[in-house]
Structures are given as C-alpha cells and as structure tokens.
Amino acid sequence: MENVLDKKIIAEIKADLLARKEQILDNIKDISQPDSHESDHLGAKFPEYGDKADENAQEINDYSTNSATEKVLEKTLADIEGALKRIENGTYGICKYCHQPIAAKRLQARPVASACISCKTELQENE
Ligand SMILES: [Zn+2]
C-alpha cells in the first residue's frame, strides 16, 4: 500500500468520516433526549417500561447502558469532528506530538488518528 497521503486518500477518508458522523448522530438520537438542564446537551434517554420492581430495575439497567453508550458515541463524534477540522485547515495527517507525517496506512485504518505510531506507542508505554 502507498504510504503517501495524497489528496485522493484524504478525500476518501473525509467521505468515510462524514458517513460515520451521520451514523453516530443517528445512534445518539436513538438513545438520547434533550437534557432539560442544558439545552444544547443530550442526555441518555430514560426508558419507561412500567411501575413494577422488575420493570424499574430494567429501566435503570437500560438507562446506564444508554448512558455509557452515549458517552462512547460522543467521544467518537468529537474525534471525527477533530479529524474533519484538521482536513479543513490542512493539518490532517500530521502527528500532533512530533509534527511528522502519519503513515497513510495508519490513517486509512484509523482515520481519526492524530498521532503517529511511534508517538502513540511511546505514550502507551509511559501510561
Ligand atoms: Zn509522532
């Protein structure tokens, strides 16, 4: 595989990121409802199954699942937004730590990557 990030690859990655973004927004909509306290923030939907103890238990159970899923989706969405922003301002594919180009192969596998493999590996070793 080519290891150079050309415009064609970036265009493909951008299309992929936009498609993922749509999908994630859909998923978030499915499990969220507008938060009454913060109008621009979506909270996990609290399901209503009934008033029996087991129904209440199921509501709480599903609520925490939705809540956890929603957090993951929001994080992914933020990663995608960040990658799209970097494509717009021309810094996409540059490692944020060592400022070297990130391998095209890595970006195709993980389009939201903002660090090259060696920096990423180093960070994980230090954790
Ligand atoms: Zn790096």
Side-chain angles (χ1 to χ4, degrees), residues 95-100 115-120:
C95 174
K96 65 177 168 183
Y97 299 110
C98 66
H99 306 291
Q100 295 299 308
C116 70
I117 290 177
S118 51
C119 289
K120 190 80 193 172

Side-chain angles (χ1 to χ4, degrees), residues 4-127:
V4 180
L5 198 62
D6 63 25
K7 284 197 174 109
K8 191 170 161 279
I9 296 176
I10 291 187
E12 280 170 14
I13 289 174
K14 188 179 175 184
D16 183 45
L17 286 168
L18 287 171
R20 283 196 205 200
K21 185 179 158 182
E22 283 299 307
Q23 202 184 1
I24 287 172
L25 286 173
D26 260 8
N27 292 346
I28 290 180
K29 226 187 296 166
D30 279 350
I31 59 163
S32 308
Q33 61 193 2
D35 194 313
S36 49
H37 303 290
E38 301 165 73
S39 53
D40 60 340
H41 180 261
L42 288 173
K45 201 181 268 177
F46 196 91
E48 292 283 353
Y49 299 135
D51 294 323
K52 291 184 195 131
D54 60 335
E55 287 168 340
N56 285 338
Q58 191 60 43
E59 285 171 5
I60 290 167
N61 194 30
D62 287 3
Y63 176 76
S64 37
T65 308
N66 283 354
S67 204
T69 308
E70 202 228 348
K71 281 198 177 73
V72 173
L73 289 174
E74 278 190 351
K75 165 88 172 64
T76 310
L77 189 62
D79 284 349
I80 291 174
E81 300 274 15
L84 286 168
K85 202 172 278 177
R86 293 197 297 279
I87 290 176
E88 290 306 317
N89 63 26
T91 58
Y92 185 75
I94 306 294
C95 174
K96 65 177 168 183
Y97 299 110
C98 66
H99 306 291
Q100 295 299 308
I102 303 171
K105 217 158 101 178
R106 168 163 167 74
L107 290 166
Q108 284 173 313
R110 188 173 154 69
V112 298
S114 55
C116 70
I117 290 177
S118 51
C119 289
K120 190 80 193 172
T121 311
E122 211 168 296
L123 280 178
Q124 277 164 351
E125 279 168 2
N126 290 339
E127 268 172 16

